[in-house]
Amino acid sequence: MIKLNGRGQLYVVSGPSGCGKDTIVQGLLKRRKNTWLSVSCTSRSPRPGEIDGKDYFFLTPEEFEKIINENDFLEYAKYADNYYGTPKSNIE
């Protein structure tokens, strides 16, 4: 948990695929009306049923690398040849 200049708290929910992150986040969002979800970016292709801007912002590897070079990710990583990251603008 990180205090953001008195503006609120930042929670990071992290874990391997299928461990229940979405269930935890959805439960928190239902219980705390003043809480919202930051949508991450990825360079992987959408899976069936995923919606751009809701599940992830789906970017090309080149778009993702441009944002890296502009230092506009709070954090990012490359996993299984795909990038994943949190845009600073979503948190600020």
Side-chain angles (χ1 to χ4, degrees):
M1 177 173 46
I2 301 171
K3 270 285 201 202
L4 297 174
N5 300 325
R7 294 183 292 179
Q9 297 176 337
L10 172 65
Y11 297 90
V12 177
V13 179
S14 178
S17 179
C19 73
K21 298 181 299 288
D22 287 337
T23 301
I24 291 169
V25 169
Q26 292 308 315
L28 178 64
L29 292 172
K30 284 180 185 176
R31 286 176 180 80
R32 302 210 38 197
K33 299 303 179 197
N34 64 342
T35 302
W36 67 92
L37 177 65
S38 169
V39 178
S40 297
C41 297
T42 184
S43 64
R44 72 164 172 78
S45 298
R47 295 179 182 142
E50 287 185 322
I51 299 168
D52 185 47
K54 178 181 180 287
D55 299 292
Y56 283 97
F57 292 108
F58 295 98
L59 308 175
T60 66
E62 294 79 18
E63 290 171 325
F64 204 107
E65 289 168 355
K66 180 178 184 282
I67 297 170
I68 291 171
N69 291 331
E70 293 171 348
N71 196 33
D72 200 27
F73 279 114
L74 185 63
E75 57 78 32
Y76 72 92
K78 193 168 189 180
Y79 174 75
D81 290 327
N82 294 302
Y83 288 112
Y84 296 84
T86 304
K88 285 182 183 178
S89 58
N90 287 7
I91 303 303
E92 293 172 345

